[in-house]
Amino acid sequence: MEDRLKNLKKVMDKRTFTDLNFTDRHQKAIRKEINQLEVSDDEILLAILQLLVQEKTGHELTGLLRGRGIQKYENNEGFLYTLLHRLEQSGCIETNWDESGAKYYRLKDKGRKLLNKVEQKRTKRRFVFKELFEG
């Protein structure tokens, strides 16, 4: 964190937040709300495409998405498998099965092109926000 932000935080801690007390229950409720914030579909698609640069099972993919804070599929993994099926039908990913019966997903060339396109779109958005806040 930049020094100016650290200093601002220190000042706010001393003056603004001195009378605020949060119970453990309230803190957990706030964390739950933050975790349930909707992640944009572009961000989810980007995460899936980035993870499928190397071959993964659906189960591995779910765990890695959870690790990135994406919990949209947490209690309904059918959404993830529907998206994977659509990506497969569109020619962006390919699947294969191993001897144990596990299904693996991996990007094809079309998926790599889509990944590059989504990453460029994200970079442009960051550039716009950077100019907006620094300008």
Side-chain angles (χ1 to χ4, degrees):
M1 187 182 307
E2 293 181 34
D3 289 335
R4 62 189 175 124
L5 293 177
K6 286 180 184 177
N7 291 334
L8 176 63
K9 184 183 181 311
K10 287 178 188 177
V11 170
M12 289 183 76
D13 285 341
K14 290 178 184 175
R15 296 185 184 169
T16 307
F17 301 121
T18 57
D19 296 330
L20 292 178
N21 290 317
F22 294 102
T23 64
D24 286 336
R25 188 173 132 213
H26 194 225
Q27 288 178 8
K28 287 178 187 177
I30 291 170
R31 284 190 190 105
K32 183 178 177 184
E33 289 292 323
I34 290 170
N35 287 335
Q36 290 178 349
L37 290 175
E38 194 66 27
V39 177
S40 75
D41 290 341
D42 283 351
E43 292 294 320
I44 294 170
L45 179 61
L46 175 63
I48 290 171
L49 293 174
Q50 286 173 334
L51 292 169
L52 290 180
V53 168
Q54 295 180 348
E55 197 172 65
K56 306 264 184 304
T57 64
H59 181 71
E60 290 172 320
L61 196 54
T62 301
L64 292 167
L65 288 170
R66 185 180 307 121
R68 289 186 176 201
I70 299 172
Q71 298 179 353
K72 184 173 185 172
Y73 306 111
E74 195 67 31
N75 292 319
N76 192 353
E77 292 174 358
F79 286 121
L80 174 62
Y81 290 102
T82 300
L83 178 58
L84 289 171
H85 182 72
R86 286 182 184 162
L87 288 169
E88 183 179 10
Q89 293 299 314
S90 69
C92 292
I93 65 173
E94 63 185 354
T95 60
N96 60 356
W97 299 82
D98 70 2
E99 309 82 39
S100 69
K103 188 174 186 179
Y104 286 85
Y105 302 88
R106 180 182 48 216
L107 282 183
K108 293 174 70 175
D109 287 338
K110 185 175 180 180
R112 291 181 200 285
K113 289 177 185 175
L114 179 59
L115 173 59
N116 288 335
K117 183 178 178 181
V118 173
E119 284 178 331
Q120 287 175 359
K121 182 179 176 183
R122 185 178 188 206
T123 301
K124 286 178 186 176
R125 189 179 323 134
R126 280 187 187 164
F127 182 71
V128 169
F129 282 124
K130 184 177 179 179
E131 278 194 2
L132 179 66
F133 291 119
E134 290 182 358

